[in-house]
Each structure stands twice: as structure tokens, then as C-alpha cells.
Amino acid sequence: MNDSQLRQVGASLVELPTISGANGNLSVAEIEKQLPFVARRYFLVYDVPTGETRGNHAHRVQHQYLTCVRGSCHVTVENGHQRAELTLDSPSLGLYVPPMIWSTQSVYSADAVLLVLSSDVYDESDYIRNYDEFLALTGEK
Amino acid sequence: MNDSQLRQVGASLVELPTISGANGNLSVAEIEKQLPFVARRYFLVYDVPTGETRGNHAHRVQHQYLTCVRGSCHVTVENGHQRAELTLDSPSLGLYVPPMIWSTQSVYSADAVLLVLSSDVYDESDYIRNYDEFLALTGEK
């Protein structure tokens, strides 16, 4: 993964402080440090068959934060001009995806659990699900 | 697990809507529906050796929400008067723990990943780590 490529797209890696001890590991993120927004929604994606792709949309105004808390998955992000990709494979690693970034997740390991935090509740009108519309809105059509 | 016992203590079970499809499962929680507070912090607990116990504290004003997103763990909650316990074993199941509830987590499965959402950033003065102090504050000492 390449943080500078991610930053060119507008996304950014988040590395979480981790406290490791004899009684286990703890990775933590908080607002104004690792978390760039307050979370009003979360969702978990799991039991994704190998070869399936999820995501394939952008958000108009909502911010998202993705972390693969178990197993691993592959994420691509693009802003209509540039694309970057990375593998999320640690509970201590997150990806901040601001609005107007097209994102796709794939290559889920069998045990993968993807946690997504969102800045607001579900609103279908916030989703851009048509790639051509996304390119038009980002000025690349 | 017994929701009425949990409610007597002051905690409550949260069951998440889950969308299952050929491309995997998605469980979702959002504020004012399943999430009783906005999350300003999250942490993940993992690789906890069998036999270890974590938690063992209460919060003065912060709210917490616990969900075992992979594997399972055992949670006890008590308010100084009553105690309840349950096993968290599904990404579609959460436990809301309001302030002034003593909580302990144990019997982590080897693959367990416990996700905790908090209503505010870390503040050591919010923690009650002495059980006798907790009982005194809840009027049971």
C-alpha cells in the first residue's frame, strides 16, 4: 500500500495506537486524533464469498472509515482522476474515505470482517451508484 | 442470555438488522435506532488468551456499546444491586452499557474480536476501577 497515492486520491491511512499485553491486544481510535468524524452509523460486512466485490459506489456528503478487524480485504479508491489500492489486514489499520470517492472492496479472506463507520445515518440519496454519473460529477466524463 | 435481567441492571441487548445475500452479510446499526449514542471513540480487543478477564471497571458518564464481531466472549454487567451476564457471539448482536455499570469480559474464544464504541474520548477520570468505590457510589457499600 502506498499512503502518498492514497492521499493523491483524497483518502488516507489511519494507524491506530495498539496496547499489547499478557491479557491481549487493544487498538483504539478517537475523534480528532485517528477518527476524522463522529460515527452515527456502523456496519459490518462478513461471510463474503471469494471473488465477490462489494461497494462500487461513492457518497455525496457522507464520510466513511473502513477497517478490516479480522482477516483481510482489498480496497480501491478513486476520485475520477486517480486511483489507489491497498489491502486492509489489521485491526490497527484504517482507511478514511471522504465524500466523492468511488470505493470498491474485493478479495475478502474467508474470515474477513470489515467494519465501516459512517458520518451519518443511511440515506439512499447520498449514494452515487452509477459510475458514469460519478465521472460526470467529478468532471472526468 | 436474558434481556429482562439485563434491563433490570440497566443494560440492554441490541439486535441489528442483517442483510444476507449471495455476496455476503451486512449487519448495520445507526443512531436513534440501534445505537443509543454517537460514537466518538472505538476500540478493538483481540488475541485475548483463554482464561483472561478484561474490563473490571465502570464509567462515570460515558456510554459504551459492545459487540463481538468475530468469535465470542462472555460479558457480565452489574449496577451494584443486580448482576446479569450474556454471551456475545454474533456481529448482529450488541450490548448497550450506560454509565455507572460495572462490566467484565471473559471467556474470549481464540478468534474473538470485541468492538467497543464509546460516547467520548478517553478520560481516565471517567473510569471507576475500584469495586468498593463503585459499590459506595451506587449506594450498596
Side-chain angles (χ1 to χ4, degrees), chain A residues 19-135:
Chain A
I19 301 164
S20 296
N23 65 344
N25 295 323
L26 183 148
S27 295
V28 62
E30 58 182 48
I31 189 74
E32 293 180 0
K33 289 182 180 170
Q34 298 79 20
L35 274 184
F37 56 85
V38 164
R40 293 185 172 81
R41 174 171 56 131
Y42 83 81
F43 54 88
L44 295 159
V45 177
Y46 50 101
D47 294 340
V48 179
T50 307
E52 289 289 342
T53 297
R54 299 187 63 112
N56 268 321
H57 62 257
H59 288 276
R60 295 178 199 274
V61 299
Q62 290 193 15
H63 300 245
Q64 304 230 305
Y65 171 92
L66 285 67
T67 175
C68 203
V69 301
R70 182 85 189 177
S72 62
C73 72
H74 191 82
V75 181
T76 65
V77 284
E78 53 185 289
N79 60 8
H81 310 258
Q82 292 154 300
R83 177 188 293 216
E85 52 192 2
L86 80 161
T87 298
L88 290 176
D89 58 1
S90 167
S92 64
L93 188 66
L95 177 68
Y96 167 52
V97 181
M100 294 306 294
I101 300 287
W102 190 270
S103 177
T104 302
Q105 302 90 47
S106 61
V107 198
Y108 286 80
S109 65
D111 61 346
V113 179
L114 178 68
L115 166 66
V116 181
L117 305 181
S118 294
S119 61
D120 214 337
V121 299
Y122 176 78
D123 175 5
E124 181 57 33
S125 70
D126 185 60
Y127 286 73
I128 305 169
R129 299 188 186 275
N130 182 294
Y131 188 69
D132 287 339
E133 180 188 359
F134 171 70
L135 289 184

